[in-house]
Amino acid sequence: MPRTSSSPSDRPKWLRFDASDEETELLFAPAADWRRSSNYPAVKPLDSYKCEDYLRLAWELLRRMPRYRRQLHKLGRLGINSPGFYKKSSISFYSNDRPLPGFPRWQEYPLVGHKCEPAPTKDCATLGAYIAAHEAAGQPWFVMNRYRWVMDFWGLAFLPSPNSTFDESKNRRLLELFSPSSHLASVISNEAPANRPQIVSTHVRANEILVRLRLDSSLELQMDSIQSIFNAARDIASKRQNATLDPLPKTVRPKSGKMALREDPSQTDFSLRAAGQAGRARIKHVEMHPFWLRVWDALAEARIEQGTLTPRLNRDAIAKRFLNDDGRRSGADSSQTTSESTRNSEYLKNLVANATEASIVPNWRARSEKYIEESDEAFRQIVAMAFAMKAD
């Protein structure tokens, strides 16, 4: 039974598609011309997938996500185009447990465009007022550059435009887009005096730990020690009520089979049970993602033309286009044996045959909406698959 697409009432206001809102077309515009198969990767069996295949799929999902597009649009309106603190400092965050800002006239800088915990009140519109109020009350505080906050939210090394395509010959930076699971905190500097300790300044989130290693000691012995520290820290994190090992957006399910993100991205569910349920969400037929990516682009085009979130799609025209493109989808891999190639070709032949039926188009549509608009679970799992392949 096909999955039911979510209705406008299930979604936050910005995700409902308002044809009269100038931001709507930015959030829901097609990422590519769905009629041109060359805009999409070829279908191939999962056992032929490489790390780059998963990373490309992750980027194809992300650059279509209205949530990512909305975040970048907000950053553009605020004039924030780097992770440095409000364009005046290379540091991305400030908090109560580190020195006060040192750039000129920092007290007068507005907080708009920053991620603040706790959230600022109307009386704390500037950085100076915000810090003074919380220090007077003896409360901890944290202020972060929003560009860097968006980077951390998605696990990215930078924030490309949604128009950026994954073309190795023209834009190899996308291969370095996704941050690894660990980050380099400090390196030896040739400029620093040899006997003077270097200060490491970084933020450690609830699902991270910071480790210091010695260069004149055995790495193997230190790694054994790190393993026990890692296990102990993970055990502590799993027992916290308001912390998380894997922050996930809260979802609402007003009706069976429907899901939409809450409007406030800060509302996250930190329970391990919720994380486990999200982790069990199946990404069906990953190898067939060119079909549901193309259907989403066709859907986005129809939405703009018809001015509604739930337009009518010409299923027959889409299926016919897919069928005409069947010739480029062999799925054979020269590195495999003849029997393996035969099995994979037959497997893909059956999948493609089913995928090009007009009756399957609603399935591709519902799947694309789920993976691109209604949740970021699929994106995060695809990235995890890529990192798992790197580890292997």
Side-chain angles (χ1 to χ4, degrees), residues 132-161:
H134 286 85
E135 288 191 341
Q139 296 177 337
W141 54 270
F142 179 87
V143 180
M144 188 174 191
N145 171 278
R146 185 164 289 274
Y147 188 103
R148 178 57 186 265
W149 183 84
V150 175
M151 287 171 55
D152 284 354
F153 182 85
W154 297 106
L156 305 178
F158 54 96
L159 301 181
S161 163

PDB file of all heavy atoms in Angstrom, residues 132-161:
ATOM      1  N   ALA A 132      25.960  40.862  29.902  1.00  0.00           N
ATOM      2  CA  ALA A 132      25.817  41.532  31.199  1.00  0.00           C
ATOM      3  C   ALA A 132      24.635  40.985  31.982  1.00  0.00           C
ATOM      4  O   ALA A 132      24.728  40.754  33.198  1.00  0.00           O
ATOM      5  CB  ALA A 132      25.662  43.040  30.983  1.00  0.00           C
ATOM      6  N   ALA A 133      23.519  40.736  31.293  1.00  0.00           N
ATOM      7  CA  ALA A 133      22.320  40.255  31.973  1.00  0.00           C
ATOM      8  C   ALA A 133      22.532  38.871  32.571  1.00  0.00           C
ATOM      9  O   ALA A 133      22.119  38.593  33.701  1.00  0.00           O
ATOM     10  CB  ALA A 133      21.142  40.244  31.004  1.00  0.00           C
ATOM     11  N   HIS A 134      23.184  37.993  31.833  1.00  0.00           N
ATOM     12  CA  HIS A 134      23.368  36.632  32.327  1.00  0.00           C
ATOM     13  C   HIS A 134      24.463  36.557  33.385  1.00  0.00           C
ATOM     14  O   HIS A 134      24.374  35.746  34.312  1.00  0.00           O
ATOM     15  CB  HIS A 134      23.663  35.688  31.164  1.00  0.00           C
ATOM     16  CG  HIS A 134      22.461  35.385  30.330  1.00  0.00           C
ATOM     17  ND1 HIS A 134      22.051  36.204  29.307  1.00  0.00           N
ATOM     18  CD2 HIS A 134      21.557  34.377  30.388  1.00  0.00           C
ATOM     19  CE1 HIS A 134      20.964  35.712  28.751  1.00  0.00           C
ATOM     20  NE2 HIS A 134      20.636  34.604  29.386  1.00  0.00           N
ATOM     21  N   GLU A 135      25.479  37.394  33.266  1.00  0.00           N
ATOM     22  CA  GLU A 135      26.510  37.399  34.302  1.00  0.00           C
ATOM     23  C   GLU A 135      25.964  37.974  35.604  1.00  0.00           C
ATOM     24  O   GLU A 135      26.304  37.511  36.693  1.00  0.00           O
ATOM     25  CB  GLU A 135      27.721  38.189  33.826  1.00  0.00           C
ATOM     26  CG  GLU A 135      28.518  37.470  32.740  1.00  0.00           C
ATOM     27  CD  GLU A 135      29.853  38.129  32.463  1.00  0.00           C
ATOM     28  OE1 GLU A 135      30.019  39.314  32.833  1.00  0.00           O
ATOM     29  OE2 GLU A 135      30.731  37.450  31.874  1.00  0.00           O
ATOM     30  N   ALA A 136      25.090  38.990  35.501  1.00  0.00           N
ATOM     31  CA  ALA A 136      24.482  39.561  36.704  1.00  0.00           C
ATOM     32  C   ALA A 136      23.592  38.548  37.409  1.00  0.00           C
ATOM     33  O   ALA A 136      23.492  38.528  38.640  1.00  0.00           O
ATOM     34  CB  ALA A 136      23.675  40.809  36.334  1.00  0.00           C
ATOM     35  N   ALA A 137      22.957  37.671  36.619  1.00  0.00           N
ATOM     36  CA  ALA A 137      22.084  36.648  37.191  1.00  0.00           C
ATOM     37  C   ALA A 137      22.842  35.376  37.561  1.00  0.00           C
ATOM     38  O   ALA A 137      22.252  34.441  38.107  1.00  0.00           O
ATOM     39  CB  ALA A 137      20.960  36.313  36.209  1.00  0.00           C
ATOM     40  N   GLY A 138      24.145  35.338  37.242  1.00  0.00           N
ATOM     41  CA  GLY A 138      24.932  34.151  37.537  1.00  0.00           C
ATOM     42  C   GLY A 138      24.560  32.953  36.682  1.00  0.00           C
ATOM     43  O   GLY A 138      24.707  31.803  37.101  1.00  0.00           O
ATOM     44  N   GLN A 139      24.075  33.200  35.466  1.00  0.00           N
ATOM     45  CA  GLN A 139      23.635  32.129  34.581  1.00  0.00           C
ATOM     46  C   GLN A 139      24.671  31.861  33.491  1.00  0.00           C
ATOM     47  O   GLN A 139      25.279  32.799  32.962  1.00  0.00           O
ATOM     48  CB  GLN A 139      22.306  32.498  33.917  1.00  0.00           C
ATOM     49  CG  GLN A 139      21.141  32.649  34.881  1.00  0.00           C
ATOM     50  CD  GLN A 139      19.885  33.086  34.162  1.00  0.00           C
ATOM     51  OE1 GLN A 139      19.953  33.670  33.082  1.00  0.00           O
ATOM     52  NE2 GLN A 139      18.739  32.809  34.758  1.00  0.00           N
ATOM     53  N   PRO A 140      24.886  30.602  33.123  1.00  0.00           N
ATOM     54  CA  PRO A 140      25.767  30.300  31.991  1.00  0.00           C
ATOM     55  C   PRO A 140      25.125  30.741  30.689  1.00  0.00           C
ATOM     56  O   PRO A 140      23.894  30.765  30.568  1.00  0.00           O
ATOM     57  CB  PRO A 140      25.916  28.776  32.058  1.00  0.00           C
ATOM     58  CG  PRO A 140      24.696  28.310  32.777  1.00  0.00           C
ATOM     59  CD  PRO A 140      24.344  29.382  33.763  1.00  0.00           C
ATOM     60  N   TRP A 141      25.918  31.083  29.704  1.00  0.00           N
ATOM     61  CA  TRP A 141      25.395  31.530  28.420  1.00  0.00           C
ATOM     62  C   TRP A 141      26.324  31.067  27.300  1.00  0.00           C
ATOM     63  O   TRP A 141      27.481  30.740  27.524  1.00  0.00           O
ATOM     64  CB  TRP A 141      25.253  33.061  28.390  1.00  0.00           C
ATOM     65  CG  TRP A 141      26.511  33.794  28.736  1.00  0.00           C
ATOM     66  CD1 TRP A 141      26.927  34.197  29.966  1.00  0.00           C
ATOM     67  CD2 TRP A 141      27.563  34.190  27.826  1.00  0.00           C
ATOM     68  NE1 TRP A 141      28.145  34.813  29.908  1.00  0.00           N
ATOM     69  CE2 TRP A 141      28.559  34.843  28.606  1.00  0.00           C
ATOM     70  CE3 TRP A 141      27.746  34.088  26.455  1.00  0.00           C
ATOM     71  CZ2 TRP A 141      29.724  35.357  28.037  1.00  0.00           C
ATOM     72  CZ3 TRP A 141      28.901  34.600  25.882  1.00  0.00           C
ATOM     73  CH2 TRP A 141      29.876  35.229  26.678  1.00  0.00           C
ATOM     74  N   PHE A 142      25.776  31.041  26.103  1.00  0.00           N
ATOM     75  CA  PHE A 142      26.511  30.562  24.934  1.00  0.00           C
ATOM     76  C   PHE A 142      25.968  31.292  23.708  1.00  0.00           C
ATOM     77  O   PHE A 142      24.749  31.338  23.491  1.00  0.00           O
ATOM     78  CB  PHE A 142      26.326  29.052  24.778  1.00  0.00           C
ATOM     79  CG  PHE A 142      27.029  28.459  23.591  1.00  0.00           C
ATOM     80  CD1 PHE A 142      28.352  28.055  23.677  1.00  0.00           C
ATOM     81  CD2 PHE A 142      26.366  28.277  22.387  1.00  0.00           C
ATOM     82  CE1 PHE A 142      29.006  27.502  22.585  1.00  0.00           C
ATOM     83  CE2 PHE A 142      27.003  27.726  21.292  1.00  0.00           C
ATOM     84  CZ  PHE A 142      28.332  27.332  21.392  1.00  0.00           C
ATOM     85  N   VAL A 143      26.859  31.898  22.924  1.00  0.00           N
ATOM     86  CA  VAL A 143      26.472  32.602  21.699  1.00  0.00           C
ATOM     87  C   VAL A 143      27.337  32.083  20.562  1.00  0.00           C
ATOM     88  O   VAL A 143      28.555  32.071  20.656  1.00  0.00           O
ATOM     89  CB  VAL A 143      26.646  34.126  21.838  1.00  0.00           C
ATOM     90  CG1 VAL A 143      26.235  34.826  20.553  1.00  0.00           C
ATOM     91  CG2 VAL A 143      25.845  34.657  23.013  1.00  0.00           C
ATOM     92  N   MET A 144      26.693  31.675  19.468  1.00  0.00           N
ATOM     93  CA  MET A 144      27.420  31.042  18.371  1.00  0.00           C
ATOM     94  C   MET A 144      27.034  31.660  17.035  1.00  0.00           C
ATOM     95  O   MET A 144      25.872  32.009  16.799  1.00  0.00           O
ATOM     96  CB  MET A 144      27.116  29.537  18.341  1.00  0.00           C
ATOM     97  CG  MET A 144      27.941  28.742  17.369  1.00  0.00           C
ATOM     98  SD  MET A 144      27.614  26.962  17.555  1.00  0.00           S
ATOM     99  CE  MET A 144      28.943  26.294  16.562  1.00  0.00           C
ATOM    100  N   ASN A 145      28.008  31.795  16.166  1.00  0.00           N
ATOM    101  CA  ASN A 145      27.761  32.237  14.803  1.00  0.00           C
ATOM    102  C   ASN A 145      26.821  31.260  14.123  1.00  0.00           C
ATOM    103  O   ASN A 145      27.017  30.049  14.175  1.00  0.00           O
ATOM    104  CB  ASN A 145      29.095  32.307  14.044  1.00  0.00           C
ATOM    105  CG  ASN A 145      28.912  32.540  12.567  1.00  0.00           C
ATOM    106  OD1 ASN A 145      28.665  31.601  11.824  1.00  0.00           O
ATOM    107  ND2 ASN A 145      29.055  33.776  12.137  1.00  0.00           N
ATOM    108  N   ARG A 146      25.777  31.769  13.468  1.00  0.00           N
ATOM    109  CA  ARG A 146      24.756  30.885  12.900  1.00  0.00           C
ATOM    110  C   ARG A 146      25.266  30.093  11.700  1.00  0.00           C
ATOM    111  O   ARG A 146      24.815  28.968  11.456  1.00  0.00           O
ATOM    112  CB  ARG A 146      23.513  31.680  12.521  1.00  0.00           C
ATOM    113  CG  ARG A 146      22.351  30.814  12.037  1.00  0.00           C
ATOM    114  CD  ARG A 146      21.049  31.554  12.051  1.00  0.00           C
ATOM    115  NE  ARG A 146      20.581  31.781  13.417  1.00  0.00           N
ATOM    116  CZ  ARG A 146      19.855  30.902  14.122  1.00  0.00           C
ATOM    117  NH1 ARG A 146      19.538  29.739  13.586  1.00  0.00           N
ATOM    118  NH2 ARG A 146      19.452  31.181  15.324  1.00  0.00           N
ATOM    119  N   TYR A 147      26.189  30.638  10.940  1.00  0.00           N
ATOM    120  CA  TYR A 147      26.773  29.882   9.831  1.00  0.00           C
ATOM    121  C   TYR A 147      27.443  28.621  10.371  1.00  0.00           C
ATOM    122  O   TYR A 147      27.253  27.522   9.840  1.00  0.00           O
ATOM    123  CB  TYR A 147      27.774  30.763   9.089  1.00  0.00           C
ATOM    124  CG  TYR A 147      28.316  30.192   7.795  1.00  0.00           C
ATOM    125  CD1 TYR A 147      27.852  30.650   6.569  1.00  0.00           C
ATOM    126  CD2 TYR A 147      29.318  29.221   7.796  1.00  0.00           C
ATOM    127  CE1 TYR A 147      28.363  30.148   5.378  1.00  0.00           C
ATOM    128  CE2 TYR A 147      29.829  28.711   6.618  1.00  0.00           C
ATOM    129  CZ  TYR A 147      29.344  29.174   5.412  1.00  0.00           C
ATOM    130  OH  TYR A 147      29.850  28.665   4.239  1.00  0.00           O
ATOM    131  N   ARG A 148      28.229  28.802  11.447  1.00  0.00           N
ATOM    132  CA  ARG A 148      28.887  27.644  12.044  1.00  0.00           C
ATOM    133  C   ARG A 148      27.856  26.690  12.657  1.00  0.00           C
ATOM    134  O   ARG A 148      28.030  25.467  12.604  1.00  0.00           O
ATOM    135  CB  ARG A 148      29.877  28.113  13.119  1.00  0.00           C
ATOM    136  CG  ARG A 148      30.594  26.976  13.848  1.00  0.00           C
ATOM    137  CD  ARG A 148      31.348  26.071  12.882  1.00  0.00           C
ATOM    138  NE  ARG A 148      31.909  24.925  13.553  1.00  0.00           N
ATOM    139  CZ  ARG A 148      33.164  24.882  14.015  1.00  0.00           C
ATOM    140  NH1 ARG A 148      33.958  25.936  13.878  1.00  0.00           N
ATOM    141  NH2 ARG A 148      33.622  23.808  14.607  1.00  0.00           N
ATOM    142  N   TRP A 149      26.787  27.244  13.224  1.00  0.00           N
ATOM    143  CA  TRP A 149      25.753  26.394  13.802  1.00  0.00           C
ATOM    144  C   TRP A 149      25.102  25.528  12.735  1.00  0.00           C
ATOM    145  O   TRP A 149      24.863  24.338  12.947  1.00  0.00           O
ATOM    146  CB  TRP A 149      24.686  27.254  14.495  1.00  0.00           C
ATOM    147  CG  TRP A 149      23.624  26.457  15.178  1.00  0.00           C
ATOM    148  CD1 TRP A 149      23.669  25.913  16.427  1.00  0.00           C
ATOM    149  CD2 TRP A 149      22.348  26.089  14.633  1.00  0.00           C
ATOM    150  NE1 TRP A 149      22.500  25.232  16.700  1.00  0.00           N
ATOM    151  CE2 TRP A 149      21.673  25.330  15.617  1.00  0.00           C
ATOM    152  CE3 TRP A 149      21.708  26.330  13.427  1.00  0.00           C
ATOM    153  CZ2 TRP A 149      20.393  24.810  15.423  1.00  0.00           C
ATOM    154  CZ3 TRP A 149      20.432  25.813  13.222  1.00  0.00           C
ATOM    155  CH2 TRP A 149      19.794  25.063  14.207  1.00  0.00           C
ATOM    156  N   VAL A 150      24.840  26.088  11.565  1.00  0.00           N
ATOM    157  CA  VAL A 150      24.259  25.314  10.457  1.00  0.00           C
ATOM    158  C   VAL A 150      25.247  24.252   9.986  1.00  0.00           C
ATOM    159  O   VAL A 150      24.870  23.115   9.686  1.00  0.00           O
ATOM    160  CB  VAL A 150      23.844  26.245   9.302  1.00  0.00           C
ATOM    161  CG1 VAL A 150      23.364  25.435   8.096  1.00  0.00           C
ATOM    162  CG2 VAL A 150      22.738  27.205   9.754  1.00  0.00           C
ATOM    163  N   MET A 151      26.540  24.612   9.918  1.00  0.00           N
ATOM    164  CA  MET A 151      27.558  23.626   9.557  1.00  0.00           C
ATOM    165  C   MET A 151      27.525  22.444  10.509  1.00  0.00           C
ATOM    166  O   MET A 151      27.542  21.271  10.086  1.00  0.00           O
ATOM    167  CB  MET A 151      28.948  24.271   9.583  1.00  0.00           C
ATOM    168  CG  MET A 151      29.247  25.214   8.438  1.00  0.00           C
ATOM    169  SD  MET A 151      30.806  26.127   8.682  1.00  0.00           S
ATOM    170  CE  MET A 151      31.981  24.783   8.946  1.00  0.00           C
ATOM    171  N   ASP A 152      27.482  22.720  11.808  1.00  0.00           N
ATOM    172  CA  ASP A 152      27.476  21.653  12.803  1.00  0.00           C
ATOM    173  C   ASP A 152      26.193  20.843  12.743  1.00  0.00           C
ATOM    174  O   ASP A 152      26.194  19.629  12.959  1.00  0.00           O
ATOM    175  CB  ASP A 152      27.655  22.237  14.201  1.00  0.00           C
ATOM    176  CG  ASP A 152      29.087  22.651  14.484  1.00  0.00           C
ATOM    177  OD1 ASP A 152      29.950  22.374  13.622  1.00  0.00           O
ATOM    178  OD2 ASP A 152      29.351  23.240  15.541  1.00  0.00           O
ATOM    179  N   PHE A 153      25.080  21.514  12.469  1.00  0.00           N
ATOM    180  CA  PHE A 153      23.788  20.822  12.443  1.00  0.00           C
ATOM    181  C   PHE A 153      23.766  19.724  11.383  1.00  0.00           C
ATOM    182  O   PHE A 153      23.280  18.620  11.621  1.00  0.00           O
ATOM    183  CB  PHE A 153      22.664  21.829  12.185  1.00  0.00           C
ATOM    184  CG  PHE A 153      21.291  21.217  12.185  1.00  0.00           C
ATOM    185  CD1 PHE A 153      20.605  21.047  13.373  1.00  0.00           C
ATOM    186  CD2 PHE A 153      20.685  20.811  11.006  1.00  0.00           C
ATOM    187  CE1 PHE A 153      19.342  20.477  13.385  1.00  0.00           C
ATOM    188  CE2 PHE A 153      19.424  20.236  11.003  1.00  0.00           C
ATOM    189  CZ  PHE A 153      18.746  20.074  12.197  1.00  0.00           C
ATOM    190  N   TRP A 154      24.318  20.024  10.208  1.00  0.00           N
ATOM    191  CA  TRP A 154      24.318  19.053   9.120  1.00  0.00           C
ATOM    192  C   TRP A 154      25.614  18.243   9.052  1.00  0.00           C
ATOM    193  O   TRP A 154      25.687  17.286   8.282  1.00  0.00           O
ATOM    194  CB  TRP A 154      24.095  19.758   7.783  1.00  0.00           C
ATOM    195  CG  TRP A 154      22.768  20.443   7.674  1.00  0.00           C
ATOM    196  CD1 TRP A 154      22.527  21.785   7.721  1.00  0.00           C
ATOM    197  CD2 TRP A 154      21.493  19.823   7.507  1.00  0.00           C
ATOM    198  NE1 TRP A 154      21.180  22.037   7.598  1.00  0.00           N
ATOM    199  CE2 TRP A 154      20.518  20.844   7.459  1.00  0.00           C
ATOM    200  CE3 TRP A 154      21.059  18.499   7.388  1.00  0.00           C
ATOM    201  CZ2 TRP A 154      19.165  20.595   7.302  1.00  0.00           C
ATOM    202  CZ3 TRP A 154      19.705  18.244   7.234  1.00  0.00           C
ATOM    203  CH2 TRP A 154      18.776  19.282   7.192  1.00  0.00           C
ATOM    204  N   GLY A 155      26.635  18.631   9.816  1.00  0.00           N
ATOM    205  CA  GLY A 155      27.909  17.933   9.753  1.00  0.00           C
ATOM    206  C   GLY A 155      28.682  18.253   8.492  1.00  0.00           C
ATOM    207  O   GLY A 155      29.231  17.354   7.840  1.00  0.00           O
ATOM    208  N   LEU A 156      28.741  19.534   8.115  1.00  0.00           N
ATOM    209  CA  LEU A 156      29.378  19.947   6.873  1.00  0.00           C
ATOM    210  C   LEU A 156      30.644  20.752   7.147  1.00  0.00           C
ATOM    211  O   LEU A 156      30.757  21.431   8.162  1.00  0.00           O
ATOM    212  CB  LEU A 156      28.420  20.805   6.044  1.00  0.00           C
ATOM    213  CG  LEU A 156      27.053  20.188   5.715  1.00  0.00           C
ATOM    214  CD1 LEU A 156      26.209  21.186   4.938  1.00  0.00           C
ATOM    215  CD2 LEU A 156      27.211  18.897   4.923  1.00  0.00           C
ATOM    216  N   ALA A 157      31.581  20.685   6.211  1.00  0.00           N
ATOM    217  CA  ALA A 157      32.819  21.447   6.332  1.00  0.00           C
ATOM    218  C   ALA A 157      32.641  22.868   5.830  1.00  0.00           C
ATOM    219  O   ALA A 157      33.423  23.756   6.169  1.00  0.00           O
ATOM    220  CB  ALA A 157      33.938  20.753   5.548  1.00  0.00           C
ATOM    221  N   PHE A 158      31.623  23.112   4.992  1.00  0.00           N
ATOM    222  CA  PHE A 158      31.266  24.437   4.507  1.00  0.00           C
ATOM    223  C   PHE A 158      29.828  24.344   4.018  1.00  0.00           C
ATOM    224  O   PHE A 158      29.226  23.257   4.032  1.00  0.00           O
ATOM    225  CB  PHE A 158      32.216  24.929   3.412  1.00  0.00           C
ATOM    226  CG  PHE A 158      32.351  23.979   2.249  1.00  0.00           C
ATOM    227  CD1 PHE A 158      31.597  24.148   1.109  1.00  0.00           C
ATOM    228  CD2 PHE A 158      33.264  22.925   2.292  1.00  0.00           C
ATOM    229  CE1 PHE A 158      31.724  23.270   0.036  1.00  0.00           C
ATOM    230  CE2 PHE A 158      33.405  22.048   1.230  1.00  0.00           C
ATOM    231  CZ  PHE A 158      32.627  22.220   0.096  1.00  0.00           C
ATOM    232  N   LEU A 159      29.251  25.457   3.588  1.00  0.00           N
ATOM    233  CA  LEU A 159      27.848  25.488   3.183  1.00  0.00           C
ATOM    234  C   LEU A 159      27.731  25.873   1.710  1.00  0.00           C
ATOM    235  O   LEU A 159      27.684  27.057   1.372  1.00  0.00           O
ATOM    236  CB  LEU A 159      27.057  26.476   4.042  1.00  0.00           C
ATOM    237  CG  LEU A 159      27.055  26.222   5.552  1.00  0.00           C
ATOM    238  CD1 LEU A 159      26.209  27.271   6.262  1.00  0.00           C
ATOM    239  CD2 LEU A 159      26.548  24.820   5.875  1.00  0.00           C
ATOM    240  N   PRO A 160      27.691  24.894   0.819  1.00  0.00           N
ATOM    241  CA  PRO A 160      27.588  25.212  -0.607  1.00  0.00           C
ATOM    242  C   PRO A 160      26.186  25.690  -0.966  1.00  0.00           C
ATOM    243  O   PRO A 160      25.213  25.401  -0.276  1.00  0.00           O
ATOM    244  CB  PRO A 160      27.899  23.876  -1.293  1.00  0.00           C
ATOM    245  CG  PRO A 160      28.280  22.927  -0.218  1.00  0.00           C
ATOM    246  CD  PRO A 160      27.753  23.457   1.061  1.00  0.00           C
ATOM    247  N   SER A 161      26.094  26.387  -2.074  1.00  0.00           N
ATOM    248  CA  SER A 161      24.797  26.764  -2.615  1.00  0.00           C
ATOM    249  C   SER A 161      24.053  25.510  -3.069  1.00  0.00           C
ATOM    250  O   SER A 161      24.664  24.566  -3.585  1.00  0.00           O
ATOM    251  CB  SER A 161      24.981  27.703  -3.808  1.00  0.00           C
ATOM    252  OG  SER A 161      23.795  27.782  -4.579  1.00  0.00           O
TER     253      SER A 161
END
